[in-house]
Amino acid sequence: MDQLADTIQSALNGDLDAFNQIVLEFQDQVYYQAYRIMGERGAAEDATQEAFISAYRKLQTYRGGSFKSWLLRIVSNACYDELRRRKRQPVAPLIPRDDHGEEFDSPSWMEDQGEKPEQFLSRAELSDAIQHCLDQLDVNFRTAVVLIDLQELDYASAAEVVDVPLGTIKSRLARARLSMQECLSRFGELLPVDLRHDGEAEQI
Amino acid sequence: MTISKQDLILLSSYLDSELPPGQKSRLEDRLLEEEDLAEAFKALSRTRTVLRSAPSLKAPRNFTLTPAMVSEGKQSSWLDAFQALRLASAVAAVLLAAVLVLDFGPGLAPVRLQEAAPPAVMEKAAPSGGDQVESQAMPSPQDEEEQETMLEAPAEEETAEDALQEEERAERPEQEGQPPEQPQEEKGVFREQPPEDQPRAELPPDAPPVDWMLIAEIVLAVTAAGLAGGAYFARKQAR
């Protein structure tokens, strides 16, 4: 930890090589956080790079404490910014029209042409199944479960990262876990045997 | 199996050992008695275990920074520069306006004329010493007494404007190649009794007057224009 403090001090003095040592030490965790929030590798890479650039420029605002939490906060904010930016972008209309400009009456166009859960089951690994379920959550709930169950932060650190009261983190985490439980129950075959419910995962 | 939201939060916190001791013991008692609650706790525990067993991902590449990455797109620093330059430009413009007002303002022009007069002439207009220029610009009670005394003498009734005209007359033959005739008395006053506290006495008698107000105007105008230009450039860069 003292070594990290020295490295941070060197980086504060403008030593870019020292900061790059920090990058190498934390880049897996930062990328993992970005990937679990964004759900896409490309977007996660962009958010990670953006977060490290931002961290370098804001390094003087680091006031001690867990450096990992500080970095996770920056990358989480970078992800939120990107998600908000995507929301603001205009999207193609969901309701298709025929050649005469009339809307299709049939709801068949709404049918998911992507793979069904069964198909997904046969291909995906556990990590992808978890990501699939995370993507179904609201970003605030997703962040809570990523910070505590995937990054294994304690409640206080997680609350600090997302800048909310401890009670909010507890509530978000509990509800997120319940949602994850319901979603993951569809991927029982992917779960380790000892984690399946009564032999065949009707429920986790 | 349905549990309340409150119980869900309790179970989740208990799972992470984040419950206070009192709540923890009460919940443990309930878990022994309530089957649904115990079942919900087991399911939640399995979910947590599954999530924590997820393999961690490695970064697909190194995210180390290069000097170019750090320097490019420094919008905030350009914006900071823009703000600073804009403020400095405004201050310089205000100062310039203040100097112009002092320069051309009513009742202030004579001060400038007197300041512009060369020392020899001023000496003649105020033979009592070099404090005359300052005393006319900002008279003190003592100086006012001296002025009154001087005004009583007929030879000392000349104003600074008269002195300037006389100086112009003296300079004209000099420009035409004829040295001006100076009264012996005046030469004597200037050469034999140089005022000790007169800083302008060190200047040669024919040195052009230094117009400090004009210099200040030029400096402030150039400064304001430069700062405004810098602010414009910084704004452009920030965009």
Side-chain angles (χ1 to χ4, degrees):
Chain A
M1 203 62 190
D2 287 342
Q3 192 184 349
L4 177 62
D6 291 343
T7 312
I8 291 170
Q9 189 55 51
S10 299
L12 272 170
N13 294 332
D15 186 348
L16 190 58
D17 289 338
F19 186 79
N20 281 334
Q21 286 179 32
I22 298 172
V23 172
L24 292 173
E25 188 174 337
F26 288 99
Q27 64 181 2
D28 288 344
Q29 292 158 317
V30 171
Y31 172 76
Y32 190 46
Q33 177 79 6
Y35 173 70
R36 289 304 186 188
I37 293 179
M38 299 302 295
E40 299 168 20
R41 292 177 191 272
E45 283 187 44
D46 291 346
T48 303
Q49 190 69 78
E50 185 60 38
F52 279 122
I53 292 172
S54 182
Y56 181 77
R57 290 181 181 157
K58 295 177 183 169
L59 196 56
Q60 72 278 2
T61 66
Y62 170 63
R63 297 278 178 260
S66 167
F67 194 73
K68 178 185 169 184
S69 296
W70 187 75
L71 281 176
L72 292 181
R73 179 176 192 160
I74 292 174
V75 73
S76 298
N77 286 336
C79 293
Y80 294 160
D81 289 345
E82 175 59 18
L83 291 173
R84 270 197 293 269
R85 193 188 64 76
R86 289 182 182 188
K87 257 188 178 176
R88 286 198 302 268
Q89 277 185 341
V91 293
L94 281 173
I95 302 174
R97 296 170 189 273
D98 60 19
D99 293 340
H100 306 289
E102 298 290 327
E103 291 179 9
F104 285 120
D105 289 333
S106 169
S108 61
W109 64 272
M110 291 179 69
E111 195 174 308
D112 185 6
Q113 300 300 316
E115 58 190 349
K116 304 282 188 294
E118 311 86 70
Q119 296 168 313
F120 187 83
L121 265 176
S122 64
R123 184 186 61 81
E125 297 177 357
L126 178 61
S127 177
D128 292 335
I130 289 172
Q131 188 59 50
H132 174 80
C133 292
L134 283 172
D135 290 344
Q136 315 302 311
L137 298 177
D138 174 89
V139 68
N140 291 322
F141 292 85
R142 194 187 314 161
T143 305
V145 81
V146 169
L147 286 171
I148 292 167
D149 281 337
L150 301 183
Q151 296 280 5
E152 301 192 15
L153 295 187
D154 58 24
Y155 286 14
S157 299
E160 190 185 323
V161 168
V162 290
D163 199 20
V164 295
L166 202 61
T168 306
I169 274 291
K170 284 183 181 180
S171 170
R172 285 180 184 176
L173 177 67
R175 291 169 65 186
R177 278 175 171 168
L178 186 63
S179 297
M180 290 298 287
Q181 175 186 314
E182 289 166 1
C183 179
L184 285 171
S185 66
R186 290 184 287 152
F187 301 100
E189 288 179 11
L190 291 176
L191 305 179
V193 175
D194 57 332
L195 294 175
R196 294 179 193 177
H197 184 259
D198 294 335
E200 194 55 50
E202 64 184 57
Q203 203 173 33
I204 297 175
Chain B
M1 179 186 67
T2 312
I3 59 167
S4 69
K5 184 185 166 187
Q6 190 58 37
D7 282 345
L8 180 67
I9 294 171
L10 282 175
L11 290 177
S12 179
S13 302
Y14 175 66
L15 200 55
D16 296 320
S17 305
E18 296 266 0
L19 272 187
Q23 279 188 328
K24 184 184 171 187
S25 60
R26 279 197 297 277
L27 183 65
E28 284 173 344
D29 291 342
R30 285 181 63 200
L31 282 171
L32 291 174
E33 294 166 4
E34 299 174 33
E35 197 173 320
D36 279 359
L37 198 65
E39 198 60 37
F41 176 69
K42 282 180 189 169
L44 209 57
S45 178
R46 278 195 295 272
T47 304
R48 178 177 177 268
T49 308
V50 169
L51 289 171
R52 296 203 169 192
S53 68
S56 181
L57 291 178
K58 293 274 180 194
R61 63 179 174 86
N62 281 340
F63 292 96
T64 49
L65 305 185
T66 62
M69 281 179 187
V70 173
S71 62
E72 75 185 14
K74 273 193 169 178
Q75 290 201 350
S76 59
S77 63
W78 281 112
L79 273 179
D80 291 345
F82 165 68
Q83 298 290 354
L85 286 168
R86 191 170 65 168
L87 178 65
S89 171
V91 170
V94 168
L95 286 174
L96 176 61
V99 170
L100 285 172
V101 167
L102 283 173
D103 198 7
F104 297 112
L108 294 166
V111 175
R112 183 175 177 177
L113 286 172
Q114 287 157 9
E115 283 179 347
V121 177
M122 297 307 295
E123 190 68 34
K124 187 182 175 188
S128 63
D131 290 334
Q132 185 64 20
V133 174
E134 290 173 12
S135 66
Q136 284 187 359
M138 295 175 63
S140 65
Q142 274 186 337
D143 292 339
E144 278 174 3
E145 282 179 18
E146 289 175 16
Q147 279 181 356
E148 283 171 11
T149 313
M150 285 187 293
L151 286 171
E152 287 170 5
E156 296 166 356
E157 284 179 357
E158 290 177 11
T159 63
E161 287 183 18
D162 291 335
L164 268 180
Q165 286 171 1
E166 196 170 307
E167 183 203 13
E168 284 173 4
R169 280 197 299 273
E171 281 177 358
R172 236 174 267 137
E174 193 177 26
Q175 288 168 357
E176 293 167 7
Q178 298 172 2
E181 287 184 358
Q182 288 188 348
Q184 280 297 325
E185 274 184 30
E186 284 185 13
K187 286 181 183 174
V189 168
F190 184 74
R191 289 178 182 167
E192 292 173 14
Q193 297 176 347
E196 291 176 4
D197 54 347
Q198 169 63 276
R200 295 184 184 194
E202 293 176 7
L203 291 171
D206 56 347
V210 180
D211 193 342
W212 293 110
M213 295 292 267
L214 183 63
I215 291 172
E217 284 164 20
I218 292 169
V219 168
L220 283 169
V222 169
T223 306
L227 290 169
Y232 174 76
F233 177 74
R235 176 77 168 187
K236 208 173 171 184
Q237 288 294 321
R239 281 177 179 168

